[in-house]
Amino acid sequence: EPCSCVLETEQHQELAKALNRLQEEAEEKLLKEGHRRQNVRRNLFLNLRYEGTDCAVMTALLEKEEKMKKVEEEEIKGFGDRFLSSYKREFGFLLEGRKILVDDIRVRAEASCGEEEGDARMEDEEEEGSECAAEEAEETASVYFEGGRQETPVFLLENLRRSRRRRVNGPAILLDDISTILVEPCCEAELTKDGDVRIRVGKQEVQRRTEELDLILLSIFSHRFMSIAEQMGRTLQRTSMSTNIKERLDFSCALFDEQGGLVANAPHIPVHLGSMQDAVR
């Protein structure tokens, strides 16, 4: 629900009351749907921003959902600490001395059937099925991986579920009516008792790169560097308080090497294109 207050000690009581009321309403809705009270979990959020900025960060109090319990005033202070941590991680700096404003209050509640732990134990105790051989595949396809093309067996999930074949070593392709699952080399796919696919990711030897030109890698890194420069511009626009930067977009962002050579220049202000390298040097 909307809110308009400062995140300070005097407001902790009112914020705790609002969060308690929202989580009670959320719990009541889940109970009406037939869920048990002990299976209901919740997390608490405040949409926070620095005074004088319009970039709000939805801040969660908990790492993950926990059982319903009353929110105490002392817990509200945790929102401020988590907001500062999130803001620092996203933008790289903090606005010291600025008040933190609360724009919205949010509670997310969810309920489970209460059978996850039992299912996990059953899967652990389940007898491992045998491994599928490449000769049992429906067909073989040539698939390009990081190390080059490999002949990859293609299996139908429907046939695997009917058989006792539970494990498929990569590389492999698993086909279903509505999906295609690629099992990469050094990985293993396992079918659970419910017919789901669980993939274990293995370790692959890192290939050493040579000075030989690879056009695919050249294109990939070219777009990566350009994306970094563009994200720099978006972050600058979001965090700036200057009208020239926030609205007129009067800035440019670029990446340079250690000698001042231009690596990637985002297309922000056309007049800056081509001149930033000389300015940096």
Side-chain angles (χ1 to χ4, degrees):
E1 67 178 28
C3 179
S4 179
C5 69
V6 179
L7 186 64
E8 54 188 6
T9 306
E10 291 76 10
Q11 298 293 333
H12 286 183
Q13 183 178 3
E14 294 300 322
L15 291 172
K17 287 182 179 179
L19 288 167
N20 285 324
R21 175 173 51 80
L22 288 176
Q23 73 172 359
E24 288 174 4
E25 294 175 1
E27 182 183 33
E28 188 64 28
K29 289 182 180 180
L30 291 174
L31 294 178
K32 288 182 178 180
E33 293 179 3
H35 296 285
R36 296 180 179 179
R37 190 180 301 274
Q38 61 267 26
N39 295 333
V40 178
R41 302 286 188 274
R42 59 90 168 113
N43 203 346
L44 313 173
F45 299 85
L46 293 181
N47 204 21
L48 304 175
R49 63 181 176 87
Y50 276 118
E51 185 181 30
T53 69
D54 57 4
C55 182
V57 178
M58 186 63 74
T59 306
L61 180 62
L62 307 171
E63 291 289 345
K64 60 180 181 179
E65 283 69 15
E66 293 183 357
K67 288 186 177 181
M68 288 284 186
K69 66 176 182 178
K70 185 178 179 181
V71 182
E72 302 296 339
E73 294 182 37
E74 295 76 16
E75 298 181 70
I76 302 300
K77 183 180 181 298
F79 281 108
D81 297 335
R82 294 184 69 85
F83 168 76
L84 296 177
S85 176
S86 300
Y87 200 94
K88 175 74 173 180
R89 183 175 62 252
E90 182 170 354
F91 299 113
F93 63 91
L94 297 176
L95 299 177
E96 302 291 346
R98 289 289 186 92
K99 293 182 179 180
I100 300 176
L101 306 182
V102 183
D103 283 347
D104 301 285
I105 302 175
R106 175 185 174 191
V107 172
R108 182 175 66 200
E110 60 183 35
S112 63
C113 60
E115 299 177 354
E116 289 88 348
E117 296 181 359
D119 289 345
R121 286 194 298 269
M122 291 179 64
E123 288 183 10
D124 292 339
E125 296 171 359
E126 183 181 15
E127 180 184 356
E128 290 190 4
S130 58
E131 181 180 323
C132 284
E135 294 76 14
E136 302 177 50
E138 302 296 325
E139 60 181 44
T140 301
S142 178
V143 180
Y144 185 86
F145 296 96
E146 185 176 359
R149 290 194 170 274
Q150 296 189 36
E151 293 299 316
T152 304
V154 180
F155 299 93
L156 294 179
L157 277 174
E158 183 180 358
N159 294 342
L160 294 178
R161 291 187 180 109
R162 285 200 300 259
S163 68
R164 290 290 298 167
R165 305 300 190 186
R166 290 289 183 181
R167 291 182 290 115
V168 178
N169 288 327
I173 296 177
L174 310 181
L175 295 180
D176 204 351
D177 293 337
I178 58 173
S179 63
T180 299
I181 301 174
L182 176 65
V183 184
E184 296 193 14
C186 299
C187 298
E188 180 187 75
E190 179 182 3
L191 269 69
T192 66
K193 68 180 185 62
D194 297 320
D196 300 324
V197 179
R198 179 169 52 204
I199 296 180
R200 292 187 174 90
V201 179
K203 295 183 179 180
Q204 190 171 8
E205 183 180 353
V206 178
Q207 296 183 351
R208 296 185 178 275
R209 297 295 179 187
T210 64
E211 296 182 357
E212 183 180 355
L213 179 62
D214 188 326
L215 295 179
I216 296 178
L217 285 178
L218 178 63
S219 176
I220 290 174
F221 281 100
S222 173
H223 285 81
R224 279 186 176 180
F225 293 141
M226 182 62 72
S227 176
I228 292 173
E230 292 173 349
Q231 290 179 34
M232 290 166 59
R234 285 194 289 271
T235 301
L236 181 61
Q237 179 188 1
R238 291 177 60 191
T239 58
S240 174
M241 295 175 215
S242 168
T243 304
N244 281 344
I245 293 179
K246 184 174 289 291
E247 298 182 7
R248 294 181 58 216
L249 306 182
D250 188 8
F251 62 86
S252 286
C253 295
L255 291 180
F256 301 88
D257 60 21
E258 68 276 8
Q259 298 177 349
L262 183 65
V263 176
N265 195 168
H268 292 131
I269 294 295
V271 71
H272 295 165
L273 297 176
S275 63
M276 293 185 71
Q277 176 174 295
D278 295 331
V280 170
R281 284 178 172 174

